[in-house]
Amino acid sequence: MRFVSRILIGVAAATMAAVAAPAVAGATTATTTATTTASPYYEADWGPYFSSDHKSRAEGHVSVDKKPYKFWYWKTFHVKKQICWKDKHGDKHCKWVVEKVKKKVWKWKHHYFYTVDSKLTNTKWWGGKKCAWETFKVVGFDGSTSFKNFRNCTKNPKHYSFSGKNAAHIYVDVSRGGFFGPKSHHSGWQPVYHFS
């Protein structure tokens, strides 16, 4: 009887292991799938940078995704073509000529989508010039320039984020100011991202 009981216990254990194994394998597969997401083209922390009086502090993270797109354009091809004709005596004559033919073609190009995250800290939130300011300068591939301003007039750090595409350079200037704009103690333009 004891021998039979041992056999039954062994069978039950083997069955449980067989049932549990696929579940564990499934969990491993799910974890592997979840962790194999596409990584950004570029990713890095920036800062910390300070206003010249060290009462404003800015730091953060930048990530860039590279995404392809089809760029359509007109291209000129030189095509050889044979032209034939008959003269007044009925004799056939032919010659080769080169013609220009325009065709619409495409090639792969890429957009570079960026996201800049920042944490702006203010260590003096009372009195005059009580706000910490950060000004971002974004220079595009085409040379265009745009600016983003963020302020923190409280004692707790504030988090900001902005996005765009095709930036050749991104800089930040950290300063002090009032509620309506930066006034003084500028850090000067500090690097956040440079396309390479």
Side-chain angles (χ1 to χ4, degrees):
M1 189 69 177
R2 288 179 185 174
F3 180 72
V4 174
S5 298
R6 285 177 186 170
I7 291 174
L8 290 174
I9 290 170
V11 170
T15 305
M16 288 178 66
V19 170
V24 172
T28 305
T29 304
T31 305
T32 305
T33 305
T35 55
T36 56
T37 55
S39 58
Y41 167 77
Y42 175 88
E43 188 171 31
D45 294 329
W46 58 267
Y49 300 127
F50 298 86
S51 58
S52 60
D53 63 358
H54 273 249
K55 293 176 182 175
S56 301
R57 171 186 172 126
E59 60 196 302
H61 187 80
V62 59
S63 62
V64 181
D65 289 319
K66 180 181 179 181
K67 295 188 179 179
Y69 70 96
K70 284 183 178 180
F71 176 75
W72 290 90
Y73 64 101
W74 290 99
K75 187 174 181 179
T76 302
F77 294 90
H78 294 84
V79 179
K80 271 189 173 183
K81 186 177 179 181
Q82 190 178 43
I83 298 177
C84 297
W85 70 96
K86 288 184 180 180
D87 62 17
K88 61 183 180 180
H89 304 293
D91 296 325
K92 186 177 179 182
H93 301 275
C94 294
K95 71 172 182 178
W96 289 95
V97 295
V98 176
E99 288 188 350
K100 289 182 179 179
V101 178
K102 280 190 174 182
K103 289 184 179 180
K104 199 168 187 181
V105 296
W106 62 270
K107 62 181 176 181
W108 288 112
K109 282 195 171 185
H110 295 87
H111 284 308
Y112 296 84
F113 294 90
Y114 64 83
T115 299
V116 177
D117 299 307
S118 76
K119 181 174 81 169
L120 182 59
T121 304
N122 182 13
T123 59
K124 181 183 176 288
W125 60 92
W126 65 90
K129 295 179 184 173
K130 63 180 184 178
C131 300
W133 281 86
E134 59 182 359
T135 302
F136 291 92
K137 178 168 74 170
V138 180
V139 181
F141 288 163
D142 59 357
S144 61
T145 304
S146 60
F147 297 89
K148 293 277 186 184
N149 285 309
F150 301 104
R151 70 169 181 256
N152 181 5
C153 302
T154 67
K155 65 179 181 179
N156 297 317
K158 285 198 171 184
H159 298 268
Y160 297 100
S161 182
F162 68 96
S163 300
K165 70 178 180 181
N166 300 335
H169 310 284
I170 303 176
Y171 305 93
V172 65
D173 175 51
V174 187
S175 59
R176 300 296 299 171
F179 190 78
F180 297 105
K183 299 292 184 184
S184 61
H185 300 290
H186 295 272
S187 65
W189 295 116
Q190 304 298 324
V192 172
Y193 167 74
H194 293 290
F195 178 79
S196 57

